[in-house]
Amino acid sequence: MTHHLDTTTRTPSQTQTQTQTQTQTQRYKSVLGRFCTGVTVVTSLEDGVPTGFTCQSFSALSLDPPLVLVCVRKESATWPGIRRTGRFAVSVLASDQRPVGDRFARSGVDRFAGVEWRPSPAGMPLIDGALAWVECSVAHEVDAGDHTVVVASVTAMETGTARDPLLYYRGTYLGHEGRKAVT
């Protein structure tokens, strides 16, 4: 690991502001980490090659018309390619699919290596064994701090085999075995 010496001179005010910002960020994560979410994988085909990422910021938005939203980090290297296609699928992961969630959360790896999938009606990759999936077309995007909120029209959807969902709580995954330990 390479360490760089920070030779920037900071005033006491700048140092205090930086510390307050770090503390505020930690508190924000601690507070909102207590909200349990499901875990999904957002996928698409970019020039015929499957691409995707793990996403816990996914939600139903509207019944009429059917809309969903996905919140994507602006730093995402994957989203620009998906954006260009204008289409994507969201697979809702089951509790036994933690390795899939982990794989699609990593950078610099072939995320689809060893992951079984099949095409959606429009050809988007759907993760085999997912609890449910939706196929979407991008309706519009909203700038939101360090994220982009993607509003998408649902073009197709289906449920899979009923099982327990993979959950994310306080910075870690919860599968069936982990839920009993949460108090």
Side-chain angles (χ1 to χ4, degrees):
M1 175 184 270
T2 303
H3 294 280
H4 297 281
L5 181 60
D6 183 358
T7 58
T8 307
T9 304
R10 292 185 179 87
T11 66
S13 175
Q14 288 172 319
T15 302
Q16 182 179 6
T17 301
Q18 182 180 15
T19 301
Q20 288 171 341
T21 300
Q22 289 170 343
T23 301
Q24 193 82 349
T25 299
Q26 290 167 348
R27 180 143 174 79
Y28 181 88
K29 287 180 175 183
S30 175
V31 170
L32 293 181
R34 298 218 175 2
F35 178 68
C36 189
T37 66
V39 180
T40 68
V41 171
V42 175
T43 59
S44 190
L45 286 176
E46 186 179 1
D47 299 323
V49 178
T51 187
F53 60 91
T54 300
C55 180
Q56 73 193 58
S57 296
F58 167 77
S59 180
L61 181 59
S62 170
L63 286 171
D64 187 18
L67 300 171
V68 295
L69 66 80
V70 176
C71 299
V72 183
R73 284 180 317 131
K74 286 185 179 172
E75 302 159 355
S76 171
T78 308
W79 178 248
I82 295 175
R83 174 192 290 129
R84 281 189 295 277
T85 71
R87 291 182 177 182
F88 61 90
V90 179
S91 297
V92 180
L93 299 185
S95 62
D96 61 348
Q97 293 182 301
R98 179 181 178 158
V100 175
D102 283 340
R103 181 148 201 89
F104 279 83
R106 288 191 192 108
S107 297
V109 298
D110 176 358
R111 293 175 176 158
F112 281 87
V115 175
E116 299 291 323
W117 63 276
R118 67 189 185 288
S120 70
M124 301 298 104
L126 301 174
I127 304 299
D128 282 350
L131 297 177
W133 59 266
V134 293
E135 182 181 79
C136 307
S137 64
V138 176
H140 65 275
E141 297 183 9
V142 178
D143 182 66
D146 58 3
H147 278 66
T148 299
V149 178
V150 180
V151 177
S153 300
V154 175
T155 58
M157 63 187 147
E158 191 58 66
T159 59
T161 305
R163 300 190 330 267
D164 287 333
L166 181 60
L167 302 174
Y168 195 77
Y169 178 73
R170 295 178 69 183
T172 191
Y173 291 115
L174 295 179
H176 178 71
E177 71 290 344
R179 267 183 260 138
K180 293 176 185 164
V182 175
T183 57

